[in-house]
Amino acid sequence: MTQPLDDGIIANCKVKYKNKLLRFVCSRVEGKKNASEIVKSVNASMAIERGKQAWNEVSSDLIVKCFKKTKLHPEEIDGEDDPFEGENELSSLQQMVHEIDFTCDALTFISSEFKTR
């Protein structure tokens, strides 16, 4: 109840990171190379850079909203959560997951390690 990072900030950053990873994989998928081989080519430096980029894209509004929701922010919570917030980004992620033929959907991909067919 009082952990704003668990209340959306980490999930948002994770979606952004995995979106970047999928974009990298999709841009490199060619005839003989499959997605699994490409993912294995991602080194620590590349992962850290994408993680940094993902974190920089997490909006300050989202962070404030998560702190307000846990009542750790000094101001009152203003308004209801937007149930469609992030839907376009998730839809885009789902489309990329299907493009490289993953056996899971986008939500499963975000919450776990992915496997290719």
Side-chain angles (χ1 to χ4, degrees):
M1 288 181 68
T2 59
Q3 297 189 17
L5 293 178
D6 288 346
D7 204 36
I9 298 169
I10 292 172
N12 186 266
C13 188
K14 199 173 196 181
V15 166
K16 291 177 183 305
Y17 172 81
K18 293 216 174 176
N19 192 323
K20 290 179 180 313
L21 178 63
L22 273 177
R23 286 184 185 279
F24 172 76
V25 171
C26 288
S27 72
R28 302 237 176 353
V29 171
E30 295 172 3
K32 294 182 182 178
K33 270 193 166 181
N34 66 30
S36 181
E37 291 171 355
I38 295 166
V39 170
K40 289 176 186 175
S41 74
V42 175
N43 61 38
S45 177
M46 293 166 73
I48 290 169
E49 183 58 32
R50 282 185 181 78
K52 179 182 169 187
Q53 292 169 353
W55 174 250
N56 288 336
E57 290 177 11
V58 174
S59 73
S60 57
D61 289 341
L62 175 73
I63 294 170
V64 169
K65 182 178 173 181
C66 289
F67 271 85
K68 285 181 179 181
K69 188 173 179 183
T70 59
K71 301 193 184 342
L72 292 175
H73 192 276
E75 297 175 20
E76 293 288 322
I77 298 174
D78 50 13
E80 294 291 318
D81 290 342
D82 181 0
F84 301 107
E85 184 176 10
E87 191 172 275
N88 289 339
E89 191 165 2
L90 185 60
S91 175
S92 172
L93 188 60
Q94 181 66 56
Q95 182 179 356
M96 283 190 289
V97 167
H98 285 297
E99 281 181 26
I100 55 176
D101 200 26
F102 278 104
T103 59
C104 66
D105 62 14
L107 291 174
T108 303
F109 175 75
I110 293 165
S111 64
S112 65
E113 294 299 315
F114 58 88
K115 297 177 178 130
T116 59
R117 291 183 207 199

